[in-house]
Coordinates of all heavy atoms in Angstrom, one line a residue:
D225 N 125.5 -85.4 33.9 CA 124.0 -85.5 34.0 C 123.3 -84.5 33.1 O 122.2 -84.0 33.5 CB 123.5 -85.4 35.4 CG 124.2 -86.4 36.3 OD1 124.4 -87.5 35.9 OD2 124.5 -86.0 37.5
V226 N 123.8 -84.3 31.9 CA 123.1 -83.3 31.0 C 121.9 -84.0 30.4 O 122.0 -85.1 29.8 CB 124.1 -82.9 29.9 CG1 123.4 -81.9 28.9 CG2 125.3 -82.2 30.5
S227 N 120.7 -83.3 30.5 CA 119.5 -83.9 29.9 C 118.5 -82.8 29.5 O 118.6 -81.7 30.0 CB 118.8 -84.8 30.9 OG 118.4 -84.1 32.1
W228 N 117.6 -83.1 28.7 CA 116.6 -82.2 28.2 C 115.2 -82.8 28.7 O 114.8 -83.8 28.2 CB 116.6 -82.0 26.7 CG 115.4 -81.5 26.0 CD1 114.8 -82.0 24.9 CD2 114.7 -80.3 26.3 NE1 113.7 -81.2 24.5 CE2 113.7 -80.1 25.4 CE3 114.9 -79.3 27.3 CZ2 112.8 -79.1 25.4 CZ3 114.0 -78.2 27.3 CH2 113.0 -78.1 26.3
D229 N 114.5 -82.0 29.5 CA 113.2 -82.4 30.0 C 112.2 -81.6 29.2 O 111.9 -80.5 29.5 CB 113.0 -82.1 31.5 CG 111.7 -82.6 32.1 OD1 110.8 -82.8 31.3 OD2 111.7 -82.7 33.3
R230 N 111.7 -82.2 28.1 CA 110.8 -81.5 27.2 C 109.5 -81.2 27.8 O 108.9 -80.1 27.5 CB 110.6 -82.4 25.9 CG 110.1 -81.6 24.7 CD 110.1 -82.4 23.5 NE 108.8 -83.2 23.3 CZ 108.6 -84.0 22.4 NH1 109.5 -84.3 21.5 NH2 107.4 -84.6 22.3
E231 N 109.0 -82.1 28.7 CA 107.7 -81.8 29.3 C 107.7 -80.6 30.1 O 106.8 -79.8 30.2 CB 107.3 -83.0 30.1 CG 107.1 -84.3 29.3 CD 106.0 -84.1 28.3 OE1 104.9 -83.5 28.6 OE2 106.1 -84.6 27.2
R232 N 108.8 -80.4 30.9 CA 108.9 -79.2 31.8 C 109.7 -78.0 31.2 O 109.7 -77.0 31.8 CB 109.6 -79.6 33.1 CG 108.8 -80.6 33.9 CD 109.5 -81.0 35.2 NE 108.7 -81.8 36.1 CZ 108.5 -83.1 35.9 NH1 109.1 -83.7 34.9 NH2 107.7 -83.8 36.8
G233 N 110.2 -78.2 30.0 CA 111.0 -77.2 29.3 C 112.2 -76.8 30.1 O 112.5 -75.6 30.3
L234 N 113.0 -77.8 30.5 CA 114.2 -77.5 31.3 C 115.4 -78.3 30.8 O 115.3 -79.5 30.5 CB 114.0 -77.9 32.8 CG 112.9 -77.1 33.6 CD1 112.7 -77.7 34.9 CD2 113.4 -75.6 33.7
V235 N 116.6 -77.6 30.7 CA 117.8 -78.3 30.4 C 118.5 -78.5 31.8 O 118.6 -77.5 32.6 CB 118.8 -77.5 29.5 CG1 120.1 -78.2 29.4 CG2 118.1 -77.3 28.1
R236 N 118.8 -79.7 32.1 CA 119.4 -80.1 33.4 C 120.9 -80.5 33.3 O 121.2 -81.1 32.3 CB 118.7 -81.2 34.1 CG 117.3 -80.8 34.6 CD 116.7 -81.9 35.6 NE 115.5 -81.5 36.2 CZ 114.3 -81.7 35.7 NH1 114.2 -82.3 34.5 NH2 113.2 -81.3 36.3
Y237 N 121.7 -80.2 34.3 CA 123.1 -80.6 34.3 C 123.6 -80.4 35.7 O 123.0 -79.8 36.6 CB 123.9 -79.8 33.3 CG 123.9 -78.3 33.5 CD1 124.9 -77.7 34.2 CD2 122.8 -77.5 33.1 CE1 124.9 -76.3 34.4 CE2 122.8 -76.1 33.3 CZ 123.9 -75.5 33.9 OH 123.8 -74.2 34.1
S238 N 124.8 -81.0 35.9 CA 125.4 -80.9 37.3 C 126.8 -80.4 37.2 O 127.6 -80.9 36.3 CB 125.3 -82.3 37.9 OG 125.9 -82.3 39.2
L239 N 127.2 -79.5 38.1 CA 128.6 -79.0 38.2 C 129.3 -79.4 39.5 O 128.7 -79.4 40.5 CB 128.5 -77.4 38.1 CG 127.9 -76.8 36.9 CD1 127.8 -75.3 37.1 CD2 128.8 -77.1 35.7
Q240 N 130.5 -79.8 39.3 CA 131.3 -80.2 40.5 C 131.8 -79.0 41.3 O 132.0 -79.1 42.5 CB 132.6 -81.0 40.0 CG 132.2 -82.3 39.3 CD 133.5 -82.9 38.7 OE1 134.3 -82.3 38.1 NE2 133.6 -84.2 38.9
K241 N 131.9 -77.9 40.6 CA 132.4 -76.7 41.2 C 131.7 -75.5 40.7 O 131.1 -75.6 39.6 CB 133.9 -76.4 40.9 CG 134.8 -77.5 41.4 CD 136.3 -77.2 41.1 CE 137.3 -78.3 41.5 NZ 138.7 -77.9 41.2
P242 N 131.6 -74.3 41.4 CA 131.1 -73.1 40.7 C 131.8 -72.8 39.4 O 133.1 -73.0 39.4 CB 131.3 -72.0 41.8 CG 131.4 -72.8 43.1 CD 132.1 -74.1 42.7
A243 N 131.1 -72.4 38.4 CA 131.7 -72.2 37.1 C 131.0 -71.2 36.3 O 129.9 -70.8 36.5 CB 131.7 -73.6 36.4
R244 N 131.7 -70.8 35.2 CA 131.0 -70.1 34.1 C 130.6 -71.2 33.1 O 131.4 -72.0 32.7 CB 131.9 -69.1 33.5 CG 132.0 -67.8 34.4 CD 132.5 -66.6 33.6 NE 132.5 -65.4 34.5 CZ 131.5 -64.6 34.7 NH1 130.3 -64.9 34.0 NH2 131.5 -63.6 35.5
V245 N 129.4 -71.0 32.6 CA 128.8 -72.1 31.8 C 128.3 -71.5 30.4 O 127.8 -70.4 30.3 CB 127.6 -72.7 32.5 CG1 126.9 -73.8 31.7 CG2 128.0 -73.3 33.9
S246 N 128.5 -72.4 29.4 CA 127.9 -72.1 28.1 C 127.1 -73.3 27.7 O 127.5 -74.5 27.8 CB 129.0 -71.9 27.1 OG 128.5 -71.9 25.7
I247 N 125.9 -73.1 27.2 CA 125.0 -74.1 26.7 C 124.6 -73.8 25.3 O 124.0 -72.8 25.0 CB 123.8 -74.3 27.6 CG1 124.1 -74.7 29.0 CG2 122.9 -75.4 27.0 CD1 122.9 -74.9 29.9

Side-chain angles (χ1 to χ4, degrees):
D225 307 319
V226 178
S227 65
W228 162 232
D229 186 339
R230 198 171 88 183
E231 296 300 320
R232 293 179 174 81
L234 295 172
V235 175
R236 289 192 174 90
Y237 58 99
S238 181
L239 297 172
Q240 298 172 317
K241 299 178 180 180
R244 284 201 176 271
V245 179
S246 166
I247 300 180

